[in-house]
Amino acid sequence: MKSDIVKKGIEKAPHRALFKAMGYTDEEIQRPLIGVVNAKNEIIPGHIHLDKIAEAVKAGIRMAGGTPVEFGAIGVCDGIAMGHEGMKYSLATRELIADSCEAMGLAHSFDGMVFIPNCDKIVPGMLMAAARINVPSVVISGGPMLSIQRDGKSLDLNSVFEAVGAYKAGKMTEEEVWEYEECACPGCGSCSGMFTANSMNCLTEVLGLGLPGNGTVPAVYAERIRLAKKAGMKVMELVEKGIKPSDILTPKAFENALTVDMALGCSTNSVLHLPAIAHEVGIELNLDIVNEISSRVPNLCKLAPAGYHHVQDLYAAGGVQAVMKELSKKNLLHLDLITVTGKTVGENIEKAEVKDREVIRSIDNPYSTSGGIAVLRGNLAPDGAVVKRSAVAPEMLVHSGPARVFDSEDEAINAIYNGQIKKGDVVIIRYEGPKGGPGMREMLSPTSAIAGMGLDKYVALITDGRFSGATRGASIGHVSPEAMEGGNIAIVKDGDIINIDIPNGKLNVEISDDEIEKRFKEWKAPEPRIKKGYLGRYAKLVTSASTGAVLKG
């Protein structure tokens, strides 16, 4: 066993003494040691209950003959960090989580590991760590929050953000906003739409590192506890068989993930995280593969924010495995890949079935014949930009309008709230990329304000930052190269005409190459906003969004 290095032989008597200081018996020490990474905290609704998930995981490990060893991981709540300086830390914590899990996992020579995340950056951070540590591993999330109905409308966190915009536009009263505030987030779990957390938990299933149900079984259901126990038992089976993340995270597994991503209409952040996870196993995911896969994969689901269904509806309709079963009818998935079940993808989905054709469309009757995400290129984004096509109003798939340029999210929010944005405008928010932010803030506040004011069918937002998975509308993020690195977005001026053509993957500003060159002669990169601490170091080391915003090696 890998853990023999910390427990076997007379030379390791001091090590065993330290285990015994914590109450471990000789019998426990002799068994396989399984690291249990628990991201439980009291600041994220999706993590508030992870102590119960961890206890279930540890029970499963003990039932299968192993010894669980629990330790913690940090996590930022994107919703609470939204719209202020705190959001600069969100994406940056992905690397801290991966690094700290690596340090703990390799320093203590665990035989296997179970990772317990639930929300946005914590899931990909732990997936990156699992790939890096490369011992038998299972990821088990805390599950999605429920959505409840008020006045015939299913509410979620985004409903409250949009209510703020509606209030600013005089369309809702303060009392009505308060009622949404009271009802939109009824309990524990990752926010209930196909936002980033649920997107990544679903894609963990598809990649093969999570058990079927990982992405969709609601947080408050007893089935989630049973699934956690199974995860604990399953990691022991993987240890026995020697199945590691590197055996599971193959190029074809990432193709499967992108395929299901398109069918589900996942968060655009998935296009940031999947390349970062692939990077850990030496696989390059070029953004061009996104459009290539999107061109042949139909969009089968419209979950919030793209539609009114929520993840609990996807669960009731058969879950991720049912979506995969539907895709397999047109041979769109690689079915021979091994997963943490010990079985192949094909074996896992053999008995899956779609139970609600309103939630999961037939592959012969999709919402659209192309996928939910598109990568755009042009002189405004030579290295690419990303949009959640499935959440864009048809009127905005092709749009031209004058630029309204802001050098920070805060300036843009003030202009939106003060009614300075008009129909037809294209809002440009720059210097919010991985380096420029630093930290590539999510911008749910401005996008939800636009939607709440009823302008999402008339106004586009473009940024070198990123958008929340809860964002809807013509919100185009990840513009690369970013402004801080001298991307063309840095020299756009108010009034420049921006041309958006999502069906054809184009994003351009109507200025000549000569004019671009002239403007750059007058341009100078601004001083970094933050020079000290973790974000100061992060800004120096982070790479482009087009390559997953990973840190330089």
Side-chain angles (χ1 to χ4, degrees), residues 338-354:
I338 195 67
T339 71
V340 291
T341 64
K343 300 177 181 179
T344 64
V345 172
E347 290 171 325
N348 287 344
I349 67 173
E350 188 175 356
K351 295 182 180 179
E353 60 177 309
V354 176

Side-chain angles (χ1 to χ4, degrees), residues 86-411:
M87 180 47 72
K88 293 179 184 290
Y89 283 90
S90 174
L91 178 61
T93 61
R94 186 187 72 183
E95 317 309 310
L96 283 176
I97 291 161
D99 289 351
S100 60
C101 290
E102 172 201 354
M104 291 293 286
L106 294 180
H108 299 105
S109 298
F110 295 120
D111 297 300
M113 296 188 72
V114 178
F115 295 86
I116 309 175
N118 207 26
C119 291
D120 296 47
K121 263 25 99 267
I122 300 94
V123 180
M126 288 191 178
L127 286 167
M128 291 165 69
R132 197 182 297 172
I133 299 165
N134 201 34
V135 296
S137 299
V138 178
V139 178
I140 171 68
S141 79
M145 186 184 293
L146 293 178
S147 169
I148 61 174
Q149 287 201 346
R150 281 295 180 273
D151 300 324
K153 181 180 180 181
S154 296
L155 300 183
D156 54 47
L157 177 64
N158 195 36
S159 306
V160 191
F161 273 100
E162 292 191 4
V164 174
Y167 171 78
K168 296 284 186 179
K171 296 183 176 184
M172 287 184 75
T173 66
E174 188 172 350
E175 290 75 19
E176 288 170 330
V177 175
W178 180 84
E179 185 175 350
Y180 273 36
E181 175 188 327
E182 285 281 292
C183 303
C185 299
C188 66
S190 46
C191 294
S192 55
M194 189 51 73
F195 311 150
T196 303
N198 290 325
S199 294
M200 293 309 302
N201 283 325
C202 288
L203 296 183
T204 298
E205 256 187 77
V206 184
L207 284 169
L209 280 183
L211 295 174
N214 179 72
T216 60
V217 176
V220 295
Y221 285 14
E223 186 181 348
R224 174 61 57 176
I225 299 297
R226 298 198 299 272
L227 190 67
K229 289 178 180 177
K230 289 177 183 177
M233 291 186 281
K234 191 57 65 175
V235 75
M236 295 302 298
E237 183 180 317
L238 297 177
V239 168
E240 182 181 345
K241 294 180 178 179
I243 298 174
K244 301 176 181 179
S246 58
D247 300 316
I248 294 170
L249 297 176
T250 63
K252 289 182 178 180
F254 285 99
E255 288 181 21
N256 278 356
L258 285 169
T259 298
V260 177
D261 192 338
M262 298 304 154
L264 285 175
C266 290
S267 164
T268 53
N269 283 314
S270 63
V271 183
L272 194 66
H273 297 316
L274 287 174
I277 299 162
H279 175 77
E280 296 294 340
V281 285
I283 297 170
E284 180 184 350
L285 277 190
N286 188 292
L287 285 185
D288 289 334
I289 194 176
V290 174
N291 281 350
E292 190 275 319
I293 290 176
S294 182
S295 68
R296 54 184 169 83
V297 176
N299 180 216
L300 303 182
C301 303
K302 276 197 179 291
L303 300 162
Y308 55 86
H309 295 130
H310 288 78
V311 179
Q312 69 203 50
D313 302 312
L314 178 62
Y315 163 77
V320 173
Q321 303 296 307
V323 175
M324 296 174 73
K325 182 68 171 286
E326 197 66 25
L327 291 169
S328 71
K329 293 178 180 179
K330 293 275 180 84
N331 299 314
L332 292 171
L333 293 173
H334 303 287
L335 301 180
D336 58 342
L337 309 182
I338 195 67
T339 71
V340 291
T341 64
K343 300 177 181 179
T344 64
V345 172
E347 290 171 325
N348 287 344
I349 67 173
E350 188 175 356
K351 295 182 180 179
E353 60 177 309
V354 176
K355 299 175 182 178
D356 188 337
R357 288 294 181 188
E358 286 295 311
V359 179
I360 304 172
R361 287 275 187 97
S362 163
I363 197 150
D364 295 316
N365 181 37
Y367 283 103
S368 66
T369 55
S370 54
I373 292 177
V375 171
L376 313 181
R377 292 186 188 271
N379 68 355
L380 192 54
D383 292 344
V386 182
V387 64
K388 189 167 184 172
R389 171 167 45 192
S390 60
V392 178
E395 299 93 325
M396 291 298 293
L397 289 171
V398 177
H399 178 76
S400 292
R404 293 296 312 280
V405 182
F406 303 93
D407 287 346
S408 72
E409 178 190 11
D410 310 271
E411 293 176 17

Side-chain angles (χ1 to χ4, degrees), residues 11 133 482:
E11 299 84 0
I133 299 165
E482 63 173 289

